[in-house]
Amino acid sequence: KDQNRFVFNHTTRETYRTEGYLKIWNLDIRDVDFEFKYNGGIASKAPSPDGTKVLFKFLYDGLGMLDLNQKSVLWKNPTMGQENRASGGSFLFSLPGGESYLVGEKSGDVSIYSTATGEGTARFKAHSGAITALKMSSDGGWLASAASGPETVIKLWDPQSLKLVGELEGHRGWVSDLEFTADGRRLVSSSADQTVRLWDLESRRELSVYQGIEQEVWEVEVTPDDRFIIAGGERGAIYAWEAEVQDAASPIIAGDVRRCATSAESDRLALLSSDGTIKLGDVASNISWGDAVFAGRNNTSVHLSPGGRQLITGKDDGSVSIYDVQSGNEIHSLPLFDSPILAASLLPSSRAILAGDSKHHVVFAQPDSDGKNVHWETVLSELDGSPNLVMSVSPNERMAALRNFFGEI
């Protein structure tokens, strides 16, 4: 690679370097306080414990440090840490004071630098493969590391002496990310073996294995109250488990969300994943999700009636189904198009449906009371030549808002 070109299969193609921004937001005024722009792109960052500095990694070359009080870049070093993997967990500030920062490198080494001067102070061999995760507990008592390649063990270090104090074995694939719980007594890990695991640090014992994932897990987080474990998958899916439920076979939230729907007069929320699974949750009770409902790869859209009592789903065969949420029974099945439904909305009075398909049509459909016949009429035969993705009907049922593929309303 050079600055503006890359060669692939002996064919030269023009490309643009990524423009990266690191934005600092003022939460009181809900606006950007200041931003730092770099033409090489910014891959990841880590804040200092006192919140005055941010260490960041460029997408292509080196590290840099921002002073948030002065709103300026303290230094940029294009070569420092260039062996570091571009992942969010491979460098961090030391705790509790942030006097130094640690960088996990592709060589498997961990290097330590002075925050004040940027000079290297120590270096030790941690793994044989590239460092994928490097995390320190909030009290500064534990340092944990993991690496790519055939090595699947998690290593625990004394942050002061940098001596190895323990190993955690159990994953069957490389470990992608690590996260300590807030109390500093447990560690959560994610892996290419499609599992998330919870470990007790003192006993070095595996406490729980969280499963039900059908892709590599690349990132993991723990909520501040240690109640939930959140994981991000290789293909963009998000999963969540209750931390105290041991060896959970399936997550309480799973799948990459393709569509979501809320109800105007209830706390219900419906999520449609790309695999067609629809899950219902109750926002008022901490979004406690039940088992998957209305599963099927042919679901393409989701909508909840105003009271949350009925679920409306579009299908890839051009039909729309109406379900009773309480029983899960199908009330109506309305064949409307010969192409997939992209959006279907039940009118507030529940008397009819507005639906759009992938061929730019929008229809107004009203089933008979017995559901055997459907009276419908075409409202629009084409909306700016693009599919109709989202629609909403006004409370008085006189107007409807449609959004097309280009984001136009």
Side-chain angles (χ1 to χ4, degrees):
K1 290 185 180 180
D2 60 22
Q3 184 170 348
N4 290 306
R5 289 179 178 270
F6 68 92
V7 179
F8 178 72
N9 288 346
H10 310 289
T11 303
T12 302
R13 303 177 185 271
E14 294 290 336
T15 185
Y16 293 99
R17 284 174 66 86
T18 304
E19 287 190 350
Y21 292 87
L22 189 63
K23 296 188 177 185
I24 312 299
W25 293 78
N26 184 316
L27 298 183
D28 292 328
I29 62 174
R30 305 289 179 89
D31 202 357
V32 177
D33 193 18
F34 78 99
E35 67 182 30
F36 167 68
K37 177 182 176 182
Y38 181 71
N39 287 333
I42 295 173
S44 49
K45 80 283 178 227
S48 64
D50 61 4
T52 63
K53 298 178 180 65
V54 173
L55 181 68
F56 59 90
K57 185 189 184 300
F58 299 119
L59 187 61
Y60 299 114
D61 48 5
L63 301 174
M65 189 174 295
L66 283 175
D67 187 306
L68 301 186
N69 291 331
Q70 298 178 13
K71 300 183 181 180
S72 63
V73 179
L74 293 177
W75 53 263
K76 292 184 293 183
N77 190 322
T79 60
M80 182 183 297
Q82 65 181 6
E83 290 296 305
N84 168 43
R85 285 177 62 87
S87 66
S90 53
F91 60 86
L92 72 159
F93 281 93
S94 64
L95 297 172
E99 295 82 6
S100 61
Y101 59 91
L102 294 78
V103 178
E105 298 184 352
K106 192 175 182 180
S107 63
D109 292 351
V110 174
S111 298
I112 303 174
Y113 299 89
S114 167
T115 301
T117 65
E119 296 180 354
T121 60
R123 185 183 183 94
F124 65 95
K125 190 71 173 178
H127 297 269
S128 59
I131 303 293
T132 56
L134 190 64
K135 294 292 176 69
M136 190 174 292
S137 60
S138 58
D139 60 0
W142 298 93
L143 177 66
S145 65
S148 63
E151 192 172 359
T152 61
V153 66
I154 301 166
K155 294 187 177 182
L156 302 175
W157 309 85
D158 183 321
Q160 302 303 319
S161 66
L162 302 180
K163 291 183 178 180
L164 183 66
V165 295
E167 295 184 345
L168 306 175
E169 298 185 29
H171 280 295
R172 296 180 179 86
W174 62 277
V175 177
S176 56
D177 197 15
L178 301 169
E179 190 70 30
F180 286 93
T181 57
D183 58 19
R185 297 185 295 107
R186 294 170 295 173
L187 180 72
V188 180
S189 59
S190 61
S191 170
D193 66 5
Q194 302 185 356
T195 68
V196 170
R197 298 172 190 250
L198 179 66
W199 310 84
D200 179 78
L201 296 174
E202 287 295 339
S203 65
R204 316 288 195 268
R205 186 169 61 90
E206 181 182 273
L207 298 177
S208 186
V209 181
Y210 304 95
Q211 303 180 72
I213 309 171
E214 298 179 354
Q215 56 187 283
E216 294 184 1
V217 191
W218 281 7
E219 190 167 4
V220 69
E221 293 285 345
V222 183
T223 54
D225 57 6
D226 288 345
R227 286 188 59 201
F228 295 97
I229 295 172
I230 316 295
E234 169 192 11
R235 297 188 295 274
I238 294 177
Y239 302 87
W241 301 266
E242 291 186 71
E244 299 304 324
V245 178
Q246 293 190 351
D247 299 326
S250 60
I252 53 176
I253 302 176
D256 46 336
V257 177
R258 183 176 180 179
R259 296 281 191 274
C260 66
T262 57
S263 175
E265 299 172 7
S266 74
D267 291 321
R268 281 189 172 138
L269 176 68
L271 299 181
L272 169 65
S273 300
S274 61
D275 64 359
T277 299
I278 297 174
K279 286 197 172 187
L280 295 176
D282 189 336
V283 181
S285 58
N286 297 316
I287 315 185
S288 56
W289 303 85
D291 294 332
V293 294
F294 315 110
R297 292 187 176 275
N298 61 335
N299 290 323
T300 54
S301 70
V302 62
H303 177 80
L304 278 170
S305 65
R309 294 183 295 273
Q310 294 178 326
L311 181 77
I312 299 87
T313 67
K315 309 289 185 179
D316 59 8
D317 62 1
S319 66
V320 173
S321 293
I322 304 176
Y323 295 92
D324 178 77
V325 169
Q326 192 69 29
S327 65
N329 295 328
E330 185 179 60
I331 303 172
H332 296 296
S333 179
L334 315 177
L336 298 181
F337 301 108
D338 59 0
S339 57
I341 301 289
L342 296 186
S345 180
L346 185 68
L347 271 62
S349 64
S350 300
R351 66 183 179 88
I353 287 175
L354 194 68
D357 73 341
S358 60
K359 292 184 177 179
H360 330 310
H361 305 109
V362 177
V363 301
F364 179 83
Q366 185 171 10
D368 288 341
S369 57
D370 58 7
K372 293 183 179 180
N373 297 303
V374 180
H375 304 286
W376 60 276
E377 60 178 306
T378 300
V379 180
L380 290 173
S381 59
E382 186 169 321
L383 181 66
D384 294 334
S386 58
N388 311 302
L389 300 177
V390 178
M391 54 183 60
S392 180
V393 181
S394 64
N396 63 7
E397 300 186 3
R398 294 185 58 191
M399 300 173 64
L402 312 176
R403 181 176 72 83
N404 65 15
F405 183 77
F406 303 109
E408 299 168 336
I409 298 174

